[in-house]
Amino acid sequence: QVQLVESGGGLVQAGGSLRLSCAASGRTFGSYAVGWFRQAPGKEREFVAGISRSGGSTGSADSVKGRFTISRDNAKNTVYLQMNSLKPEDTAVYHCAASSYYAGSLAASYPYWGQGTQVTVSS
C-alpha cells in the first residue's frame, strides 16, 4: 500500500512555470511506477506523463512534450512534474498515481491515487 500527496499547484500566468510534487508514504516508493494525470472541468481524465520505477523510462502526452518533464528521487520518495511554458489549456486538477509496474497512459492500471492539486493558468 502506498499513500500519495500532491503539492505545488497554484495560479500562474501563461508562459510561466510550476513544479508539482508527488510525495509517497508507505512501502518503498522505488517499487512503484508513477503517472501524472489531469482533469479539467467537463473533460475526461487525461494522461500527462509517466515514469518507471527506476526513472530510466519516461513518457508524456503529445500535448505537453517539450514543456513538461517528469522525474523522481526515490531517496526522497518523491516524483516531480516540472511544467514550463504553461498555457490556459493546461488548467486542471493534477493527480499522481502509482502502480507496481510501468503502466504508461493506462489509468485503470494505477490502483493508488492522490487527491490532486489545482493548476490554473491565466491568459
Side-chain angles (χ1 to χ4, degrees), residues 19 23-25 32 38 57 65 67 70-71 80 91 107 112 121:
R19 188 177 77 159
S25 62
Y32 295 92
R38 66 187 182 187
S57 295
K65 272 188 171 66
R67 299 189 299 123
I70 189 170
S71 62
Y80 304 98
T91 295
Y112 307 109
V121 185

Side-chain angles (χ1 to χ4, degrees), residues 46-64:
E46 175 188 21
F47 170 75
V48 177
I51 190 165
S52 63
R53 291 174 291 183
S54 67
S57 295
T58 62
S60 61
D62 288 343
S63 59
V64 306

